[in-house]
Amino acid sequence: MVAEVLPRTAVVGRYENPWTIPNMLSMTRIGLAPVLGYLIIEEDFNIALGVFALAGLTDLLDGFIARNWASQKSALGSALDPLADKILISILYVSLTYADLIPVPLTYMIISRDVMLIAAVFYVRYRTLPTPRTLSKYFNPCYATARLKPTFISKVNTAVQLILVAASLAAPVFNYADSIYLQILWCFTAFTTAASAYSYYHYGRKTVQVIKGR
């Protein structure tokens, strides 16, 4: 999978500015994740819906800005944006499962997939660093070595997962927690999660773009 993506020869990355607006928005989304988790556990679902909407707005804005302003696009952002989504989704699903709004098997499936993908990102980072590999170089956000490109089904899966979160957060507010449509959405989310995991396994070579030095 990922191991086949990367060349065995050393590659040289490039330095770039990590302090872009999209990256700051992604960091904001990561910061909102534990706040949302706390609100859900405390069953403050009305406030949680508002905070979730704010988190969703940061997701829309960082993608829009990165696509339309070349100076705001970065290799770090290509990893930080999906990482922020995964942290947010993982905390939300654990919290919603604790609140009995999402089934345990679905949360286990989603978190297992995300843990594997995050581990793969760290592995890609290690493999694309030129020798000598050092901790300071590894964790230097200014030093870009690879750009990540999510698969189409992965983008669909993220959207479906977030739709389920929104529907689950609204369920106790509008009293439809036992709706059959919510249960159908559970099944569809499980399907897209499995399909997304397979797409990364099958198309791993195409999801990593190694950055050559300049």
Side-chain angles (χ1 to χ4, degrees), residues 44-214:
D44 290 330
F45 296 111
N46 289 288
I47 299 177
L49 270 173
V51 177
F52 177 70
L54 177 60
L57 181 62
T58 68
D59 196 14
L60 291 174
L61 282 175
D62 70 20
F64 176 79
I65 293 171
R67 285 191 300 271
N68 289 279
W69 284 273
S71 64
Q72 296 297 307
K73 192 173 184 178
S74 65
L76 175 63
S78 73
L80 188 59
D81 179 35
L83 178 63
D85 289 340
K86 286 170 178 51
I87 291 173
L88 178 67
I89 287 171
S90 295
I91 290 178
L92 283 169
Y93 272 79
V94 169
S95 304
L96 288 166
T97 299
Y98 178 86
D100 291 325
L101 293 171
I102 287 180
V104 172
L106 178 57
T107 296
Y108 178 80
M109 171 186 281
I110 289 170
I111 291 179
S112 296
R113 166 194 170 273
D114 287 350
V115 166
M116 287 188 289
L117 289 179
I118 290 171
V121 168
F122 280 105
Y123 177 71
V124 167
R125 174 64 169 174
Y126 172 78
R127 284 293 303 271
T128 55
L129 277 179
T131 54
R133 299 182 177 101
T134 63
L135 286 175
S136 61
K137 190 185 294 183
Y138 185 92
F139 290 106
N140 185 352
C142 298
Y143 191 71
T145 57
R147 189 181 301 277
L148 305 181
K149 299 181 289 183
T151 62
F152 172 75
I153 187 60
S154 178
K155 294 179 180 179
V156 171
N157 175 236
T158 298
V160 171
Q161 288 178 351
L162 291 173
I163 289 171
L164 177 56
V165 166
S168 299
L169 279 173
V173 177
F174 298 103
N175 299 313
Y176 62 82
D178 296 324
S179 171
I180 184 65
Y181 297 107
L182 200 56
Q183 296 172 23
I184 292 172
L185 190 53
W186 293 347
C187 297
F188 187 59
T189 303
F191 171 76
T192 59
T193 299
S196 173
Y198 176 76
S199 73
Y200 278 110
Y201 173 79
H202 187 72
Y203 297 108
R205 184 182 297 275
K206 298 179 180 179
T207 61
V208 178
Q209 177 187 356
V210 176
I211 296 174
K212 302 294 183 181
R214 62 180 185 182

